[in-house]
Amino acid sequence: VQLQASGGGLVQAGGSLRLSCAASGRTFSTYVMGWFRQAPGKEREFVAVISWSGGTTYYADSVKGRFTISRDNAKNTVYLQMNSLKLEDTAVYYCAARSLYDSGISEKDEYDNWGQETQVTVSS
């Protein structure tokens, strides 16, 4: 599956952004979809994941209650709604796909497919 993330930009602290990740192919609904991010000088970290049908989600503690992951299988797209953005949310964001929803869902090395990044910059 090929992935293309979009929707990043510059936003003031406290604001909102919605990222999108469009997938090619007809098998999108068979993939678990995740969002990761990487700030300058830091490791790529897990943000959120959603199961095949969208019925199960899981978030990093740092974004829980502020970010919402969702998907539309008819549109082959996964979203990340980001509210109450903080300076520390500034990063390059990636979407990723894998087949299983298991203990590896928050591990970047467990994902087989990665999309291009989209930059999110939160200003004070």
Side-chain angles (χ1 to χ4, degrees):
V1 63
Q2 291 186 320
L3 307 171
Q4 179 65 57
S6 62
L10 175 64
V11 63
Q12 286 191 325
S16 299
L17 278 176
R18 188 177 80 156
L19 305 184
S20 299
C21 175
S24 64
R26 300 180 180 181
T27 60
F28 178 71
S29 62
T30 67
Y31 288 95
V32 171
M33 298 300 299
W35 285 97
F36 289 77
R37 67 186 182 186
Q38 187 167 14
K42 294 188 176 182
E43 293 282 322
R44 190 173 301 187
E45 65 175 6
F46 168 76
V47 175
V49 65
I50 189 166
S51 61
W52 311 272
S53 66
T56 305
T57 58
Y58 178 67
Y59 298 90
D61 288 343
S62 58
V63 306
K64 200 172 296 181
R66 301 188 297 121
F67 290 12
T68 302
I69 189 171
S70 62
R71 67 189 296 163
D72 185 338
N73 286 344
K75 295 182 178 180
N76 281 11
T77 303
V78 62
Y79 305 98
L80 186 68
Q81 177 67 45
M82 306 185 294
N83 298 329
S84 303
L85 283 161
K86 303 177 180 180
L87 296 178
E88 52 264 40
D89 294 319
T90 295
V92 172
Y93 283 71
Y94 300 86
C95 58
R98 68 191 301 258
S99 299
L100 299 177
Y101 194 94
D102 58 14
S103 59
I105 55 174
S106 63
E107 302 297 326
K108 61 182 185 297
D109 294 336
E110 295 291 328
Y111 283 76
D112 305 313
N113 302 280
W114 290 86
Q116 290 186 315
E117 68 272 16
T118 186
Q119 176 72 47
V120 172
T121 302
V122 183
S123 64
S124 58

